[in-house]
């Protein structure tokens, strides 16, 4: 049997900055079955997602609110949103069929809706704003044009509403770069090979994080896109200065 995503992926390679960004969702198709097993052994993965959502300051368990989970994958970030906003309507979007299938196989309340497609094409997918919050966990680094997407997020948000970008960013800290290299080559890439017999997605992860903005640069990017009250916080533990929550609000006027 021909493995479609593998066959397609064989034509592309992991360059110095990772995979060509339009190819990333196909690479996630290949890693989809193993994704939950891999992140479940990453200490802090789920707790850090929940921490980032708490930092959004969603009031009253999200009653009457609409939230967007951009790049929801297998639903780990959706579950983090749900934990803080059980009363909100949550729209969760992902371009990888395989990742979305894993998400949809889980049990969700009727307030959660999954949509298959690229975040860039949201309007064509029948998903319109306004949203009272957008959560993008490990998505922005994987986009072909992050600046354009940040501007789109801004137009989707109600005035004063928050975008939280939960993302790896190591450039501003030399110890973080060393730790990142060690963890990728000591754990993530070998473990990815063990689970999927392929290292493409995990080498992309390694390279794309090294190539991504430092935290200060990314905060500037958010401000340049038109967001206000831009700030970021890292997480505790070994991922300190590696995983960050970037918070930014849509202006009131
Ligand atoms: C590292 S996973 C993160 C999944 C989830 N947010 C989490 O925290 O576990 C990144 C996800 O972004 C999705 N993705 C990448 N580019 C995308 C795009 N342009 N539009 C929608 N989803 C995209 C991938 O398919 C993948 O499922």
């Amino acid at each position: 049997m021909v493995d479609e995503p593998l066959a397609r992926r064989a034509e592309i390679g992991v360059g110095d900055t990772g995979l060509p960004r339009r190819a990333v969702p196909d690479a996630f198709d290949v890693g989809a079955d193993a994704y939950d097993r891999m992140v479940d052994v990453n200490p802090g993965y789920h707790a850090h997602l929940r921490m980032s959502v708490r930092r959004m300051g969603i009031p009253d368990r999200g009653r009457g609110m609409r939230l967007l989970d951009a790049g929801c994958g297998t639903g780990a970030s959706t579950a983090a949103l749900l934990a803080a906003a059980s009363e909100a309507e949550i729209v969760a979007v992902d371009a990888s069929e395989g990742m979305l299938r894993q998400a949809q196989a889980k049990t969700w309340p009727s307030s959660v809706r999954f949509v298959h497609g690229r975040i860039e094409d949201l309007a064509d997918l029948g998903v319109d704003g306004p949203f009272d919050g957008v959560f993008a966990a490990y998505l922005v680094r994987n986009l072909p044009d992050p600046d354009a997407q940040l501007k789109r997020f801004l137009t989707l948000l109600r005035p004063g509403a928050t975008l939280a970008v939960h993302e790896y960013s190591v450039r501003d800290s030399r110890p973080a770069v060393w730790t990142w290299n060690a963890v990728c080559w000591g754990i993530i890439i070998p473990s990815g090979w063990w689970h999927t017999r392929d290292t493409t997605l995990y080498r992309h992860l390694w390279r794309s994080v090294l190539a991504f903005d430092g935290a200060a640069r990314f905060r500037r990017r958010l401000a340049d896109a038109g967001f206000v009250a831009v700030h970021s916080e890292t997480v505790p533990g070994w991922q300190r200065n590696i995983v960050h929550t970037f918070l930014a609000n849509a202006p009131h006027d």
Side-chain angles (χ1 to χ4, degrees), residues 177-190 206 238 242:
V177 172
W178 291 334
T179 306
W180 181 247
N181 284 328
V183 168
C184 282
W185 285 100
I187 301 170
I188 297 175
I189 294 170
W206 169 54
W238 74 268
I242 295 178

Side-chain angles (χ1 to χ4, degrees), residues 66-119:
R66 282 185 86 220
L67 302 173
L68 175 67
D69 182 11
C72 63
T74 61
S77 44
T78 320
L81 272 176
L82 191 59
S86 52
E87 301 295 320
E89 176 193 339
I90 299 174
V91 181
V93 179
D94 202 282
S96 159
E97 248 184 84
M99 295 289 275
L100 211 59
R101 202 177 309 124
Q102 295 288 329
Q104 283 169 314
K106 296 168 186 165
T107 303
W108 301 97
S110 58
S111 55
V112 176
R113 176 162 70 103
F114 289 99
V115 177
H116 178 229
R118 297 187 69 87
I119 199 71

